[in-house]
Amino acid sequence: MLLQGDNVRLVPIEKRHLDDVMKGWNNPEMRRFLSPFIPFSREIEIQWIENAIEDMKELKALTFVIEKNDGRFLGTCGTMSIDWISRSTEIGISIHSPENWGKGYGTEALKLLIEYLWETINLERIELCVYAFNERAIAVYKKLGFVEWGRAHKKRYVEGKYEDLVYMELFRH
């Protein structure tokens, strides 16, 4: 399965992506937007990829690698879990290298993912959470139609202070 856009494509994660995931995942500049904040070992990342593949087989969640159309690794995106009864899921995305931020790759990847979740998986609702300080991501989510539905104040401790999490949602209809 391949989801193709103008500049990026989404491919299911495989073990061959381990080195690329490791390269970006432990970058402190990127990690500050995610949790947990501890560095992950190679063994932990192998287990994460194996679990992601198993979850895809069992239709529990979807994990894609975001690549430029020439095959260069950009990051990952997908669903955390799919609620087949309520037709909803939570999504996440990470463009791993700061040199690729602000170029529209994440926006295009999310458009591909959302279209797939609407048109192929037939979901009705998508949600996500994002740090309130991540204004660039919030702007992208709003551009895609997400609206804020809640906020958890001082939810996570990041770089010496407690930060809010913003919860956003998008409905198909």
Side-chain angles (χ1 to χ4, degrees):
M1 174 176 52
L2 174 74
L3 304 176
Q4 184 75 48
D6 293 333
N7 300 297
V8 303
R9 63 188 182 199
L10 306 183
V11 298
I13 195 160
E14 297 177 351
K15 291 179 183 177
R16 68 182 172 90
H17 295 115
L18 176 64
D19 289 336
D20 288 320
V21 169
M22 287 297 301
K23 201 178 307 175
W25 203 246
N26 287 325
N27 176 343
E29 192 173 357
M30 193 274 296
R31 290 288 320 160
R32 73 184 297 261
F33 297 106
L34 305 171
S35 63
F37 308 102
I38 57 172
F40 284 171
S41 69
R42 190 169 185 83
E43 289 303 313
I44 290 172
E45 290 301 339
I46 289 169
Q47 187 64 52
W48 177 76
I49 290 173
E50 289 173 350
N51 290 343
I53 292 168
E54 192 62 31
D55 284 350
M56 288 183 79
K57 283 186 207 172
E58 296 176 7
L59 303 177
K60 292 180 181 178
L62 304 170
T63 303
F64 295 101
V65 165
I66 306 164
E67 296 178 337
K68 289 187 78 168
N69 283 339
D70 64 9
R72 283 185 285 162
F73 179 90
L74 293 169
T76 55
C77 69
T79 65
M80 309 306 178
S81 63
I82 299 171
D83 181 336
W84 293 104
I85 294 171
S86 299
R87 315 291 312 160
S88 68
T89 193
E90 181 179 354
I91 64 169
I93 184 169
S94 177
I95 301 297
H96 286 212
S97 176
E99 71 187 30
N100 292 316
W101 296 351
K103 295 183 178 180
Y105 299 136
T107 302
E108 185 175 353
L110 283 173
K111 285 180 182 177
L112 291 170
L113 179 62
I114 291 166
E115 180 181 347
Y116 180 75
L117 295 175
W118 288 166
E119 303 302 325
T120 303
I121 304 297
N122 193 32
L123 296 185
E124 184 62 27
R125 180 180 178 276
I126 300 170
E127 70 177 57
L128 58 83
C129 68
V130 59
Y131 286 110
F133 64 76
N134 194 347
E135 295 172 1
R136 182 177 56 245
I138 291 171
V140 168
Y141 302 143
K142 286 181 178 179
K143 180 168 63 172
L144 294 173
F146 283 87
V147 295
E148 182 176 334
W149 63 268
R151 185 176 287 247
H153 299 282
K154 297 183 178 184
K155 174 76 173 173
R156 299 263 169 77
Y157 190 72
V158 181
E159 298 176 343
K161 65 181 192 173
Y162 289 94
E163 298 287 353
D164 292 356
L165 280 179
V166 176
Y167 293 88
M168 302 180 83
E169 64 188 353
L170 177 67
F171 288 91
R172 183 174 180 180
H173 299 106

